[in-house]
Amino acid sequence: MRFEAITIKDIATALGLSTSTVSRALRDSHEISVETKKLVRAYAEEHNYRPNPIALSLKEKRSRSIGVVVCEIANSFFSQIINGIESIAYDRGYNVIISQSHESYKREVIDLNYLASRSIDGLLISVSMETTNFDHLKSLHNKGLPIVFFDRVVDEIDTHKVIIDNSTGAYNATVHLIENGFKRIANINISEHSFIAQGRLSGYKKALQDHNVPIDEKLIRYCEHGGQDYAELEREMDALFAQKKKPDAVFAGSDTMTMGILRYFKSRKMRIPEDIALVGFSNSENADLLQPALTVIKQPAFEMGKKATELLLKVIEAKRPDKDFENFVLPAELVVRESSERKK
Amino acid sequence: MRFEAITIKDIATALGLSTSTVSRALRDSHEISVETKKLVRAYAEEHNYRPNPIALSLKEKRSRSIGVVVCEIANSFFSQIINGIESIAYDRGYNVIISQSHESYKREVIDLNYLASRSIDGLLISVSMETTNFDHLKSLHNKGLPIVFFDRVVDEIDTHKVIIDNSTGAYNATVHLIENGFKRIANINISEHSFIAQGRLSGYKKALQDHNVPIDEKLIRYCEHGGQDYAELEREMDALFAQKKKPDAVFAGSDTMTMGILRYFKSRKMRIPEDIALVGFSNSENADLLQPALTVIKQPAFEMGKKATELLLKVIEAKRPDKDFENFVLPAELVVRESSERKK
DNA sequence: TATTCACCCGATAACGATTGCGTAAAAAAA
DNA sequence: TTTTTTTACGCAATCGTTATCGGGTGAATA
């Protein structure tokens, strides 16, 4: 079952012209007479002619499509980013091919191979949490594939990057907890190796230092898989609460983990914020409807997608390689709700 | 900045062969000698040769990509469906181009034009809530584009369809409310014209009839835009509660509306389920974390995406058109939680 | 009258890969 | 030895489009 469309050749034979003439007429070349143009345009319009993008791609050596790799699209933060990406790509005539790594390094490598073989013009990627070796990305980058990193970026590759100000976001959240009277603030973070976790950890530590709260390394824990796997999160939480000096607040380092921790507390009948306060990174639209309404650090995901795409298209459409790369930093916003209410 | 890959021609000149020989060697043709094959394969391997999919598409008149149109990807139900779609498409070597209609008819038409111009091999679509005229779809279908509908299907177009058993889902939810002692059960539904709303409404009515609860048309309301726009939902809810005989339970017809209604109740300080019970269609992963934990009708979204994709690929890859179309119906599952607890 | 331009258009090659057909050389059969 | 067959490869067309080059016609200029 195939779906056949009208071609320039069809128009040419129908009107007794050559394909070159038809092509030029449609592109409004000055070397075609006004009558011929009219004739061709009318026929094309009538038969709903659309240039074959595949033929164009082959000729122009560009596919007008960009690849996107994220860990998971069923995650508010990333689906909002994708909305931002699509909003720009769509306007500029690019289509977007989305792949999910599901936080697996292996899957990320496969995804990239696949995208490269689909001859994408450029790549937008937020690397998986498992990824510590970046050779697959370096190799593509060296071959000249335009790449823009967003959110989880790779320091060692020199290109545009769009990130959240993780450090300030974490700082503000931690300060907020300190000011509300919490003393033992735990930090459950994503993979220790990740760029994101490092920023968030530094903001957390700086806030404690600035307020003369001692840093207790036992209150800092990491989930290598970012809490995609609830069992992993549960293990880390159990370890955290098995300690003698228990935390009175938890600051969570990702959307999935924030929800997972909330689930953990509820299952253990821990009252929030009376027994334990909770603040976390989250872009859920419904954080205000949760029990309790959650204090979150919200990230400008849509803007991030937009900005990353704009930068990528700039590189793709640049006549000559530009070595002047941007490191664009977007602010995170603290939204205060019940889950971090002042200790009585 | 362009990203150049090795071609068959490069291999041919490097080895002093013709492109035909190289092509045949790579496809393991019997008319190429064993040594030549070895030579070519080794060179291709070493230089990481990948056939150019665009050139193949042009030759084979197929793009190995399928278009997907949904209203919104930042919606658990649809992002889970997309996960299902990708899981199959990926394995079969197809890539997926996703477009969002944002529940706008106009945008849906633009999306389809765009996808058609990108020469997709097939289309998976859940039509927008605004869409009542299906000419844009009929036209593509008549031109031979393989289409499979999912969730929000179009009756008048004869092709494969994958739907949820909306009627039974709604029936079970309504019966559950009746059995828990609720008497005046309102139904807030999506656009009245939609296939989905009709199924859900019929299940709702049947449940009332089977239990001798009178049907009160004043308790049935529709949101044309499906609650994407909170103001619209608010207007309908205000109208519902402005009545003398107020409802004691609400059954909501979509994910967005369920969340919107919960927000509405909370903002009016209405207690759930004491003042008003709530049950709704929702695929949110976190319905159990809400206040109160929400009784939902959960749909097998991932399965739906898988099934629809399998059917589409069957049509695309069929040698000859098959007129025997499936109407695949998936069950919805009622998950009981606090928001519909028995009246004291 | 001869030359020079515009003007308008067609033929051809190219993008990368596949494929039917043709053919030289080697091997097998007569 | 001659003829036939087999082996192993190259040529060229094709998919749809555009860029380059070249050419014919008629009018304006020398």
Side-chain angles (χ1 to χ4, degrees), chain B residues 164-166 168-170 172 200 281 297-300 330-335:
Chain B
I164 300 290
D165 188 345
N166 291 299
T168 306
N172 292 341
R200 293 179 183 176
F281 274 85
I297 304 140
K298 194 163 184 176
Q299 309 174 72
L330 291 158
E333 179 196 6
L334 182 69
V335 184

Side-chain angles (χ1 to χ4, degrees), chain B residues 66-72 77-78 81-82 85 96-105 107-113 115 120 122-129 131 133-138 140-141 145-155 157 159-163 195-196 304-305 308-309 312:
Chain B
I66 59 180
V68 176
V69 180
V70 296
C71 57
E72 207 74 42
F77 179 58
F78 289 107
I81 289 181
I82 290 174
I85 293 173
V96 175
I97 305 178
I98 299 165
S99 285
Q100 306 186 64
S101 67
H102 299 287
E103 301 294 13
S104 146
Y105 166 70
R107 180 69 190 249
E108 181 176 294
V109 173
I110 296 175
D111 280 354
L112 282 189
N113 268 325
L115 288 174
I120 51 171
L123 176 70
L124 292 172
I125 182 168
S126 177
V127 294
S128 106
M129 225 161 287
T131 307
N133 178 319
F134 303 112
D135 289 346
H136 54 309
L137 286 162
K138 282 183 195 159
L140 284 174
H141 186 239
L145 179 71
I147 300 181
V148 171
F149 291 103
F150 62 91
D151 192 44
R152 307 195 198 141
V153 307
V154 175
D155 267 338
I157 298 181
T159 178
H160 292 305
K161 288 157 196 164
V162 183
I163 56 173
F195 170 85
I196 299 282
M304 175 172 254
T309 311
L312 182 65

Side-chain angles (χ1 to χ4, degrees), chain A residues 141 147 149 154-161 323-325:
Chain A
H141 186 239
I147 301 181
F149 291 103
V154 174
D155 267 338
E156 29 190 311
I157 298 181
D158 198 29
T159 179
H160 292 305
K161 288 157 196 165
K323 289 288 166 208
D324 196 14
F325 295 117

Side-chain angles (χ1 to χ4, degrees), chain B residues 71 75-78 103 129 151-152 166 187-191 194 196-197 200 221 223-229 232-233 250-262 278-284 294-297 299:
Chain B
C71 57
N75 171 314
S76 313
F77 179 58
F78 289 107
E103 301 294 13
M129 225 161 287
D151 192 44
R152 307 195 198 141
N166 291 299
N187 180 11
I188 313 286
N189 225 320
I190 59 171
S191 176
S194 80
I196 299 282
R200 293 179 183 176
R221 303 206 72 92
C223 289
E224 288 308 311
H225 302 285
Q228 280 292 110
D229 167 25
E232 179 192 28
L233 181 65
V250 171
F251 162 45
S254 86
D255 214 317
T256 344
M257 287 173 51
T258 304
M259 293 302 166
I261 292 170
L262 178 56
L278 176 58
V279 174
F281 274 85
S282 173
N283 267 53
S284 163
L294 224 58
T295 298
V296 298
I297 304 140
Q299 309 174 72

Side-chain angles (χ1 to χ4, degrees), chain B residues 22-81:
Chain B
V22 175
S23 172
R24 275 187 274 246
L26 290 171
R27 333 195 97 247
D28 203 19
S29 160
H30 61 274
E31 31 180 356
I32 302 297
S33 72
V34 184
E35 306 98 81
T36 308
K37 279 185 194 170
K38 257 193 209 158
L39 207 69
V40 171
R41 290 227 193 92
Y43 192 93
E45 183 85 17
E46 188 191 336
H47 293 76
N48 198 30
Y49 168 79
R50 295 270 173 279
N52 181 326
I54 295 180
L56 283 176
S57 291
L58 185 59
K59 187 114 189 56
E60 295 176 8
K61 294 190 166 217
R62 61 197 328 245
S63 59
R64 285 202 159 265
S65 63
I66 59 180
V68 176
V69 180
V70 296
C71 57
E72 207 74 42
I73 62 172
N75 171 314
S76 313
F77 179 58
F78 289 107
S79 60
Q80 286 162 23
I81 289 181

